[in-house]
C-alpha cells in the first residue's frame, strides 16, 4: 500500500475538518472496506506516535456476545474511544473491534456519523456494497416483474394489518425477501434479528446502519418485536441499551446490512421515505405511548387512592367485580362486556343513566337501592392532545325509586378529576355477590380492589 | 417544471420558507453543540433525511419560531443581509457569533427539476459542518445565553419597529456591544451556492473567552 492515503486522510481530517468513516473512505478512495479500516488504524497510530494526534478522536465498532437479562445476544455498537474499554469489558466474547471513524471534533451524538455516509452512499446506491466484505450470491436485484409482484403483495396484506400494526405493514410484508437473502455464516439468532432489523435499516434509504439514539433503538426494537417472533430478544436488550447513554448501538453489522439493503433498498426505495417517516412516527408514538402508559398508571393510582379515602367503609363490602353472573333478583342480566370507550361529557351520561334508571323503576316496583361496580373504560383526549384510556371501577348506585341521590351521585362523578365514568354502562352492570343495598348513600367511587379484578 | 422568476411572489415565499426552516434547525443545532442548554431538552428529529437535534422545550421553541417568523418577510423581499446567532456570556458580552450571510441572486429562476434535492444536499452539508464546529472553536464559559440579530437595510429596520409582525414580540435596534466583538477571530465554516440561494456560514470568535 503506498503511503499516499495517509496524506489523504490527513487532509480530510485536519484541513477540511471532516469526519472520516471507514465506509466513506472506502467509497471515496475506491478500496475495500477492510482496507479502509486498516488505513484509518494506521493513520491513527502514526499520528498518535507523533504526538500530534492528541486532537484526533476516534470511534470504534465493537461487536461481541454478551448476556443481558439472562439471554445471550450478539451486540454491535459504535462507541467513542473513551468508552471502548468499558464496553469491551462488558462483553463475554469480543468478536471484532475496528476503527469506525476518525475526526477532530468530539461528537456529542451519532447523527454526524450518519450524515457523513449519507451522500456518499446515495451516489453509489446501486453498488454501495462493491467494497463490502459480505457477500450473498442470492442477493441480486429483482427483475421488474418481480418488483411489481412484490409491490402488489405489499399493498394487500397491510390493509388487514393496518389496524393492529400501524407503520409496520411494509416491514412485515417484505420481511420474507430480505430474510432469505441473509448472508450465511452469521449466527441464527442474529440472522433473524437481521431480518427485521434489515427491514428497518433498509427502509432508511441510504443504508443507514446506525441507530443514533437509544430511544430510536428502543422503539425499533419494539416495532421489531411485533414483527419478529424473537420478541423476547429485543424486549430484553432494549432497556439495557437505554441505559447506556453514550453507547451508539448498531442494529446490524454495517457490512452485513449493505448487501441486503442494497437490494432491498432498490425495491423499497419508493416505500422507504414513507416507512422511514412511519418508523419515526412509530418511534414517537411508541415513546409517547410509553410515557402515556406511565402517566396512565400514575393517574389511575392517584384516582384510586383518593377514592379509597372516601370510600373505605364500602370497599370491604364490594370485593368482587364483574363476573358475568345473572342475578335473579334483578331484571336485567348484564354480561361482562369488554371495556367500551365512552364519550366523556357529563351531560350525555346523565341522560343515559336516567333512562335505565327510570326503566328499572318502572319495571320493578320494589324500592331498592343497589350499588354496582362497573368497570368503565374511558378514552379521552388529555391536555397534550394524546388519547388516554383509563379503566376504573365505578360503583354506581341506582335506585328504582329514588331520584334524589342520583343527581348527587352524578354531580360527584362529574366533579371528580378526570373520571368520566359512563353512565350508559348502567345496563351492563354486574351484580357483585356481596352487594349491599345501602340506601341514600351518595356516590360511588372506584376502590382499589378494582385494580385486581379480572377485566 | 415551470420557470418561476423572482417577480413571482410565490418564488420569494418558497425561498424564504426553505431558508427559515433551515435557520430553525441550525439554531437548535447550535444551541445543542455549543451547550447553551443542557442536552436533555433535545430530541432527535429528522430533517433533510438526517437526524438533527431539536429542543423540546416549548418556550424556547416558541421564541425561535417567533423570531424567524419576523425574519421571514425580510428574506422574502431580499432585505436581510445577515442573520446572526450571538452567544453571550454572563456579562452579556458576545463570545461567539454564528453569522449566516444570505444573498439571493437577482435573476433567480427555478428551472431545474433536481434543484430542491440539490439544495437539500447543500443544507445537509451545512448541518454537518455545524455539528463538527466544536473542533475549531474553544469552549464557552458556563452560563451563556444567546440572541438572534438580523442585519438589514435601514428602511426595513424602521418598518420592523413600526409594525409588530407578532404581537408582543418587538424587535429593537441592537446594542453596539452585541454587534461588535473585540478581538474577533474569523473561522469560516461553510459556503453554499445554489440557483436560489447563496449562503455563507462563519463564526466570529472572541480570542479570550473567559
Amino acid at each position: 500500500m503506498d503511503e499516499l492515503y495517509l496524506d489523504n486522510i490527513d487532509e480530510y481530517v485536519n484541513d477540511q475538518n471532516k469526519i472520516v468513516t471507514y465506509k466513506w473512505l472506502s467509497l471515496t478512495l475506491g478500496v475495500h472496506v477492510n482496507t479502509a479500516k486498516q488505513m484509518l488504524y494506521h493513520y491513527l497510530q502514526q499520528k498518535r506516535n507523533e504526538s500530534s494526534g492528541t486532537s484526533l478522536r476516534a470511534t470504534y465498532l465493537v461487536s461481541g456476545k454478551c448476556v443481558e437479562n439472562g439471554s445471550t445476544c450478539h451486540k454491535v455498537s459504535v462507541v467513542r474511544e473513551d468508552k471502548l474499554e468499558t464496553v469491551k469489558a462488558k462483553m463475554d466474547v469480543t468478536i471484532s473491534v475496528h476503527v469506525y471513524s476518525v475526526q477532530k471534533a468530539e461528537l456529542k451524538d451519532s447523527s454526524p456519523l450518519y450524515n457523513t455516509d449519507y451522500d456518499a452512499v446515495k451516489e453509489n446506491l446501486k453498488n454501495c456494497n462493491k467494497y463490502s466484505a459480505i457477500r450473498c450470491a442470492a442477493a441480486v436485484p429483482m427483475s421488474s416483474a418481480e418488483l411489481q409482484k412484490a409491490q402488489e403483495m405489499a399493498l394487500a396484506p397491510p390493509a388487514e394489518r393496518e389496524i393492529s400494526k400501524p407503520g409496520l405493514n411494509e416491514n412485515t410484508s417484505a420481511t420474507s425477501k430480505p430474510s432469505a437473502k441473509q448472508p450465511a455464516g452469521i449466527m441464527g439468532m442474529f440472522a433473524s434479528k437481521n431480518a427485521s432489523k434489515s427491514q428497518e435499516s433498509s427502509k432508511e434509504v441510504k443504508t443507514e446502519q446506525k441507530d443514533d439514539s437509544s430511544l430510536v433503538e428502543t422503539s425499533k426494537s419494539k416495532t421489531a418485536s411485533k414483527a419478529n417472533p424473537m420478541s423476547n430478544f429485543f424486549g430484553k436488550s432494549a432497556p439495557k441499551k437505554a441505559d447506556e447513554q453514550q453507547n451508539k448501538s448498531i442494529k446490524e453489522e454495517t457490512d452485513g446490512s449493505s448487501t441486503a439493503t442494497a437490494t432491498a433498498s432498490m425495491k423499497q426505495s419508493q416505500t422507504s421515505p414513507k416507512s422511514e417517516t412511519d418508523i419515526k412516527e412509530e418511534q414517537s408514538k411508541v415513546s409517547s405511548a410509553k410515557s402515556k402508559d406511565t402517566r396512565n398508571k400514575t393517574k389511575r393510582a392517584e384516582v384510586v387512592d383518593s377514592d379509597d379515602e372516601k370510600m373505605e367503609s364500602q370497599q370491604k363490602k364490594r370485593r368482587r367485580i364483574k363476573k358475568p353472573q345473572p342475578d335473579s333478583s334483578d331484571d336485567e342480566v348484564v354480561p361482562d362486556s369488554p371495556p367500551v370507550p365512552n364519550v366523556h361529557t357529563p351531560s350525555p351520561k346523565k341522560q343515559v343513566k336516567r333512562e335505565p334508571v327510570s326503566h328499572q323503576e318502572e319495571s320493578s316496583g320494589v324500592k331498592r337501592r343497589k350499588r354496582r361496580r362497573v368497570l368503565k373504560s374511558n378514552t379521552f383526549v388529555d391536555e397534550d392532545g394524546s388519547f388516554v384510556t383509563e379503566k376504573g371501577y365505578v360503583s354506581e348506585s341506582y335506585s328504582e325509586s329514588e331520584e334524589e341521590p342520583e343527581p348527587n351521585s352524578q354531580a360527584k362523578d362529574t366533579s371528580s378529576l378526570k373520571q368520566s365514568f359512563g353512565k350508559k354502562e348502567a345496563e351492563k352492570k354486574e351484580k357483585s355477590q356481596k352487594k349491599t343495598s345501602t340506601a341514600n348513600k351518595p356516590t360511588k367511587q372506584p376502590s382499589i380492589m378494582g385494580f385486581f379484578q379480572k377485566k | 417544471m415551470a420557470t418561476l422568476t423572482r417577480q413571482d411572489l410565490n418564488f420569494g415565499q418558497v425561498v424564504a420558507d426553505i431558508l427559515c426552516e433551515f435557520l430553525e434547525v441550525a439554531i437548535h443545532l447550535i444551541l445543542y453543540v455549543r451547550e447553551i442548554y443542557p442536552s436533555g431538552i433535545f430530541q432527535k428529529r429528522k430533517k433533510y433525511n438526517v437526524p438533527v437535534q431539536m429542543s423540546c422545550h416549548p418556550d424556547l421553541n416558541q421564541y425561535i419560531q417567533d423570531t424567524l417568523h419576523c425574519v421571514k418577510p425580510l428574506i422574502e423581499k431580499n432585505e436581510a443581509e445577515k442573520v446572526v446567532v450571538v452567544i453571550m456570556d454572563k456579562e452579556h458580552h458576545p463570545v461567539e457569533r454564528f453569522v449566516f450571510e444570505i444573498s439571493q441572486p437577482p435573476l433567480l429562476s427555478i428551472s431545474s427539476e433536481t434543484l430542491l434535492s440539490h439544495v437539500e444536499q447543500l443544507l445537509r452539508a451545512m448541518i454537518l459542518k455545524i455539528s463538527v464546529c466544536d473542533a475549531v472553536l474553544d469552549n464557552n464559559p458556563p452560563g451563556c445565553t444567546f440572541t438572534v440579530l438580523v442585519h438589514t437595510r435601514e428602511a426595513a429596520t424602521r418598518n420592523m419597529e413600526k409594525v409588530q409582525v407578532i404581537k408582543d414580540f418587538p424587535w429593537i435596534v441592537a446594542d453596539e456591544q452585541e454587534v461588535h466583538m473585540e478581538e474577533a477571530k474569523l473561522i469560516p465554516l461553510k459556503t453554499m451556492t445554489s440557483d436560489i440561494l447563496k449562503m455563507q456560514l462563519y463564526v466570529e470568535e472572541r480570542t479570550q473567552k473567559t
Side-chain angles (χ1 to χ4, degrees), chain B residues 44-105:
Chain B
K44 259 191 204 166
R45 308 252 282 272
K46 188 173 77 160
K47 188 70 186 169
Y48 311 126
N49 262 339
V50 292
V52 295
Q53 296 277 1
M54 300 281 284
S55 126
C56 296
H57 195 287
D59 288 341
L60 176 62
N61 293 354
Q62 190 63 41
Y63 174 77
I64 295 176
Q65 276 178 4
D66 287 345
T67 308
L68 292 171
H69 189 84
C70 296
V71 173
K72 201 186 273 200
L74 295 174
I75 299 178
E76 279 177 22
K77 297 183 212 127
N78 199 14
E79 281 170 353
E81 266 179 18
K82 294 193 225 176
V83 176
V84 186
V85 180
V86 184
I87 295 173
M88 298 173 292
D89 62 8
K90 284 192 240 194
E91 289 90 37
H92 297 286
H93 296 299
V95 290
E96 274 175 9
R97 302 175 77 236
F98 283 79
V99 181
F100 294 85
E101 259 186 28
I102 304 163
S103 68
Q104 297 175 28

Side-chain angles (χ1 to χ4, degrees), chain A residues 16-19 104-112 114-116 118-119 122-123 212-213 215 273 276-277 280 283, chain B residues 32-35 43-44 46 48-53 117 120-121 124-125 127-129 131-136 189:
Chain A
Q16 299 180 15
N17 191 18
K18 272 184 168 354
I19 301 177
K104 268 206 298 185
E106 180 180 347
L107 298 177
K108 289 194 185 53
D109 72 336
S110 59
S111 325
Y114 177 69
N115 203 343
T116 315
Y118 184 89
D119 284 311
K122 189 172 168 183
E123 280 166 28
D212 299 317
S213 66
L215 179 61
E276 202 175 343
T277 50
K280 296 289 178 186
Q283 160 196 340
Chain B
Y32 176 75
V33 172
R34 301 313 289 153
E35 292 172 344
Q43 191 196 40
K44 259 191 204 166
K46 188 173 77 160
Y48 311 126
N49 262 339
V50 292
V52 295
Q53 296 277 1
S117 66
E120 186 180 293
Q121 189 178 4
R124 213 181 297 136
I127 300 273
L128 181 57
K129 265 294 181 255
S131 314
V132 297
C133 72
D134 61 319
V136 292
L189 283 190

Side-chain angles (χ1 to χ4, degrees), chain A residues 135 138 276 386 433:
Chain A
R135 296 260 168 263
E276 202 175 343
S386 48
Q433 287 179 355

Side-chain angles (χ1 to χ4, degrees), chain A residues 10 28 55 153 159 164 202 215 224 227 242 250 328 334 339 345 361 398 406:
Chain A
D10 197 34
T28 311
S55 62
M153 279 178 40
S164 54
S202 66
L215 179 61
I250 294 190
S328 56
V334 184
T345 54
E361 276 179 296
Y398 74 99
E406 306 301 344

Side-chain angles (χ1 to χ4, degrees), chain A residues 222-279:
Chain A
K222 278 185 166 41
T223 56
S225 65
K226 289 180 200 168
N228 195 331
M230 301 282 302
S231 54
N232 296 339
F233 174 64
F234 296 119
K236 286 169 189 172
S237 63
K240 172 77 189 288
K241 287 177 183 167
D243 293 340
E244 298 168 24
Q245 286 291 331
Q246 292 299 336
N247 231 340
K248 309 158 194 173
S249 305
I250 294 190
K251 285 295 180 190
E252 182 171 336
E253 173 63 32
T254 56
D255 293 338
S257 66
S258 52
T259 322
T261 52
T263 52
S265 62
M266 264 191 63
K267 71 170 158 50
Q268 288 156 358
S269 55
Q270 299 171 321
T271 58
S272 51
K274 176 172 180 288
S275 44
E276 202 175 343
T277 50
D278 284 344
I279 289 176

